[in-house]
Amino acid sequence: MTDRIAKLEIDGESYEFPVLSGSVGPDVIDIRTLYAKTGHFTFDPGYTSTGSTESAITYIDGNQGTLLYRGYPIEQLAEKSSFLEVSYLLLNGELPSKAEFAEFEEKITRHTMLHEQMVKFFEGFRRDAHPMAIICGAVGAMSAFYHDSTDITDPKQRVIASHRLIAKMPTIAAWAYKYSVGQPFIYPRNDLGFAANFLRMCFAVPAEEYVVSPTMARAMDRIFTLHADHEQNASTSTVRLAGSSHANPFACIASGVASLWGPAHGGANEACLNMLREIGSVDRIPEFIARAKDKNDPFRLMGFGHRVYKNFDPRAKVMQQTAHEVLSELGVENNPTLQVAQELERIALEDDYFIEKKLYPNVDFYSGIILDAIGFPTSMFTAIFAMARTVGWISQWKEMIDDPKQKIGRPRQLYTGATTRDYTDISDR
Ligand code: CMC
């Protein structure tokens, strides 16, 4: 709270609203009493000016290109921490002690198996199903398999549900992939780290052991860390809205998966790699830049632009460096897709249209190149994003449920439809 107030005048009548301050970032005008006082709603489709919640998890300064998880800069976490440590941090608010981390790691490792009957669930899908379709279904189905962690009023059950979701998502995502390529499911192995276990579940076959490269495991872990949370984005807001009705956590996370799937959100990494491949060679870049600038062409440069970052996306920088590490270990540094990406970035960053509109490469610009080099098909890109973001979703969900001020989310509208009219019988129409 500050002692500042905002004044609003409607039809000569003046109303006052308190201005609230967070620990950092823009102040907000508290309009919770607006309707009661004035009989008006606010109108903000796309929520470009609306703070939907108080939160102490993630902070973004889009102008500075800052991303903090619980106060820690993403660059430091990507370099020095690990995805599991970051998961603990997001869920609990502080970095773990050695003992706390060992206990957390043990819990996540021992929750990675899926109820065996879920195999049948996977087998019910068509082989050509998109992994995100399977993940949406499988995560939602978890509420039918883990009844002992669906009571949201029990704090212990809430914790178990969080651990189950973080631990089982890699198994679900890997199995969605295995199913699509017609290979047997590979069960998790408890002696491997989180990222290495996921890579093995995706790429091992019973006929041959799969040796996980530490560089690939590190790159995978970084991708998870960079995608772990991102404040009140579309999928996180979806999870919160679903959870605000006290739906069980598995159902809420399934709603987040559905929202993430769209190409303007998590689906952009898949769309971006497809675009880079379509461009194909450096000489075709100007044609695509021209299309992106053409108002009459709906084409957009995928992996460019962000609702919040208007300077640079700090995740993109780490991703670019990781792409070089992975491609150099694989000996494919002159990969044509990477060449197109680098040249496209160079040209776009010098172009007036992109400069004026503050469009910079986002996290998805390089992540697809890394995932492609590791061996994932594009259809798995968003699935991997969903796995990582599950930690953010469940942390945000937990924060909301723990908040005594929490209310069901219920936006209002500006109604522009027909006013009351009488029904006419079908024979008279
Ligand atoms: N290529 C060409 N023009 C663009 C692009 C782009 N990628 N992004 C925005 N613009 C233009 C847009 O046409 C508009 O121009 P005008 O003002 O003349 O109408 C202006 O820039 C502002 O765009 P907007 O759609 O109002 O901005 P937004 O904040 O609503 O959209 C965005 C943000 C991420 C949806 C958008 O930049 C976009 O569609 N980017 C491509 C998809 C993408 O890479 N998404 C991944 C986001 S990062 C991962 C995640 O968080 O999910």
Side-chain angles (χ1 to χ4, degrees), residues 99-172:
E100 285 166 337
F101 184 65
E103 193 192 334
F104 182 69
E105 194 174 30
E106 162 89 3
K107 284 223 172 82
I108 299 300
T109 306
R110 299 208 170 268
H111 272 110
T112 47
M113 289 214 359
L114 292 175
H115 190 294
E116 191 57 20
Q117 236 173 300
M118 281 190 79
V119 170
K120 294 201 173 58
F121 203 85
F122 279 80
E123 286 170 353
F125 285 98
R126 280 171 55 135
R127 285 277 176 195
D128 58 357
H130 194 287
M132 285 297 277
I134 301 185
I135 295 172
C136 245
V139 174
M142 282 176 79
S143 43
F145 286 92
Y146 302 103
H147 296 285
D148 58 344
S149 51
T150 51
D151 178 0
I152 68 141
T153 62
D154 178 349
K156 264 201 189 141
Q157 292 200 26
R158 299 206 292 265
V159 172
I160 297 172
S162 320
H163 292 166
R164 281 186 166 145
L165 277 156
I166 297 169
K168 293 182 200 302
M169 271 302 262
T171 316
I172 292 176

Side-chain angles (χ1 to χ4, degrees), residues 277-305:
R277 283 187 180 142
E278 194 193 338
I279 297 176
S281 59
V282 167
D283 56 303
R284 292 192 65 206
I285 292 175
E287 178 195 324
F288 282 82
I289 297 259
R291 283 187 62 196
K293 289 157 63 172
D294 180 355
K295 278 226 166 290
N296 300 317
D297 188 332
F299 174 79
R300 283 186 171 200
L301 274 192
M302 285 295 150
F304 263 79

Side-chain angles (χ1 to χ4, degrees), residues 292-293 300-301 303-307 309-313 345 348-362:
K293 289 157 63 172
R300 283 186 171 200
L301 274 192
F304 263 79
H306 197 273
R307 169 61 62 81
Y309 295 118
K310 300 297 175 196
N311 188 338
F312 67 93
D313 179 341
E345 177 179 2
L349 292 181
E350 285 173 1
D351 189 289
D352 285 347
Y353 175 91
F354 290 86
I355 294 170
E356 254 164 50
K357 296 196 186 295
K358 301 187 173 182
L359 299 170
Y360 298 87
N362 59 47

Side-chain angles (χ1 to χ4, degrees), residues 132 135-144 149-152 158 161-162 165 169 233-261 386 389-401 406 408-409:
M132 285 297 277
I135 295 172
C136 245
V139 174
M142 282 176 79
S143 43
S149 51
T150 51
D151 178 0
I152 68 141
R158 299 206 292 265
S162 320
L165 277 156
M169 271 302 262
N233 55 81
S235 57
T236 303
S237 299
T238 304
V239 169
R240 279 186 179 261
L241 197 54
S244 77
S245 71
H246 296 177
N248 75 69
F250 304 111
C252 296
I253 301 305
S255 73
V257 175
S259 167
L260 186 77
W261 194 356
R389 186 54 61 84
T390 295
V391 171
W393 290 331
I394 202 68
S395 304
Q396 302 264 353
W397 174 84
K398 178 174 174 283
E399 182 181 65
M400 178 186 69
I401 300 293
Q406 185 264 330
I408 187 167

Side-chain angles (χ1 to χ4, degrees), residues 177-197:
Y177 170 60
K178 281 301 199 195
Y179 188 69
S180 72
V181 288
Q183 291 182 3
F185 300 129
I186 300 291
Y187 287 75
R189 248 183 47 190
N190 291 355
D191 59 329
L192 293 176
F194 190 86
N197 187 39

